[in-house]
Amino acid sequence: MGTFLGFALTLSLLFCIAQGKVLFYDFMVKETPIKMLCETNRTILTVNGLFPGPEIRARKGDTIYVNVTNIGPYGITIHWHGVRQIRYPWSDGPEFVTQCPIPSNSSFLQKIVLTEEEGTLWWHAHSDWSRATIHGPLIIMPAYGKMYPYKFDQEHTIVIAEWYTRDTKAIIDEALESGGDPDLSVAYTINGQPGDSYSCSNGSAYNKTVVRGKTYLFRIIHSGMNEEMFFGIAKHNLTVVGMDGAYLKPLKINYLMITPGQTMDVLVTANQTPGRYYMVFSPFVDTNAPSNENVTRGIFQYNDNYNHSETPILPELPGFTNKSDAGNFTIQLRGLNSKEHPSKVPTKITRNITIMEALNARPCPANKTCSGPQGTMHSASLNNITFSAPSISILQAYYNNLQGVYNKTFPDTPPFIFDYTGNVSALGDAANVSTEVLMINYNEEVEIRFQGTNFAAENHPMHLHGYSFYVVGMGDGNFSDSYVSRYNTVDPPYVNTVGLPKNGWTAIRFKADNPGVWFMHCHLERHASWGMDTVIVVGDGAKKHQKVLPPPKDMPPCSVS
């Protein structure tokens, strides 16, 4: 009996190691009163009353069920940013792409399928602008029985966010109606605290006490809406070891540049003179568009004996407009490419796609006054198409073969060729407004070349749902086929969000082995709202295990907003 029991326990342990565990969480979306800066009587949408929201912690290979109950004033969706959701796009979350919003006073049980992801990811609302306050960490530790490829003594999660003075849904609704710029955020927060540089903050700042000689893993999540960030800790080097749920070759540097949507795993060793040191997030602004140029500060302080009332030391960070330092950081990132974590870069490309990104202007409708440039309406596009979301989800229309919801005609190339990053003043900046999807066959090896333009140029962090991808090349100016020979196909970073440099290009590769409907968009929220989005539909494969799984029975209805 004892032998059989031991054998059974061994089998159970092996199954657990191979399959992972099943975890359960409850999310309650609701309005919550919060005090921030000089505001009074303000409520925001939260999950479980927290800002940032609750942390989900799992291991590689686990399956997570999250019961999302919405008692907020309007419909909501939740996206598991960076989770591939193999064959199961039903829980991916973007509104009117994979689901309709969860109506008020109803629930949706979302299934999160973890496969290859390992490191720091996050979750956030994916409807209207509600992700400003509805977001939180998704931490994926190594599989059972496996170890990290680096050593540390303690870990801490840092969530950078943007704070607005009024309801963000009202902000974007008004901006889209008028065609003008949405309100700017008024502050940045670190783990919900604005730091001591703001009025009425009462010295509130994220504070981390450290022990000299110990190494700390900081899991940094950029949940902000519209501003990219430099980050540094005074007098301390940072060693970047992971990004977007995958490992990197250790990169020792004294600052980071991180875009909305990205996550980074960073080691910091407390090896300086005991004292207090500021950790600072400072925006990177490479555009003439209105921007929030505030900073937010946390404190990295030693637990030794010294004058704890002394003013912390500030780090030296690149200036707000330092495009060179922003780009120099990004191009140094390399995938780990070890025996345990190999790079699998597609090299037999069967589908080559070029996507031109632009900020546009739409004519103001008759009998209306618009607040966009020269009385027009702000717009944005990919390959000259401004994405228009349908009133039901594209995934449900695709799965049920419903006609008239979307067109399968998103082009593989821009509609015409010109000097994208040169003088474009003679060209019109209008785009076609429609619901187009990009059709890709199962198992194709895909290369996408994102090409920036000089239409109100700035950096665009591009995010692809359902996939991580290899960043094989990046540069300034117009892409040329001659650049392919310079690609890094040995150890490129494997990420889900990548910055397209201002007036530049970025090339990514992935194997289309995850069938379904997947959103691709700029992660600057104002650009996504203006239409810098598209949908990739990866068809089913021939075999049963290569097809989209059936939908759950409790999908939110599309007849209720």
Side-chain angles (χ1 to χ4, degrees), residues 68 70 74-78 99-104 106-108 110 556:
V68 180
N70 179 20
Y74 46 80
I76 207 80
T77 69
I78 304 291
Q99 70 172 87
C100 292
I102 305 166
S104 295
S106 65
S107 298
F108 178 34
Q110 295 191 245

Side-chain angles (χ1 to χ4, degrees), residues 423-475:
N423 185 350
V424 296
S425 59
L427 300 173
D429 60 355
N432 300 314
V433 180
S434 59
T435 308
E436 309 285 340
V437 306
L438 177 60
M439 304 297 295
I440 294 177
N441 295 325
Y442 184 80
N443 255 357
E444 283 202 275
E445 297 197 358
V446 181
E447 178 171 322
I448 297 179
R449 298 161 182 176
F450 295 113
Q451 176 64 61
T453 69
N454 211 8
F455 289 112
E458 65 178 290
N459 192 79
H460 300 291
M462 295 303 297
H463 173 51
L464 175 59
H465 293 223
Y467 287 87
S468 286
F469 47 78
Y470 294 97
V471 182
V472 294
M474 179 180 291

Side-chain angles (χ1 to χ4, degrees), residues 46 52 64 251 310 319 349 355 401:
T46 68
I64 306 166
L251 172 64
E310 66 184 14
I349 301 302
I355 297 180
N401 198 27

Side-chain angles (χ1 to χ4, degrees), residues 162-192:
E162 292 185 58
W163 183 258
Y164 293 80
T165 55
R166 60 195 187 100
D167 178 61
T168 50
K169 185 179 188 303
I171 289 173
I172 190 56
D173 285 350
E174 291 170 17
L176 293 177
E177 174 63 24
S178 71
D181 284 300
D183 292 3
L184 292 177
S185 60
V186 297
Y188 302 110
T189 61
I190 302 174
N191 290 358

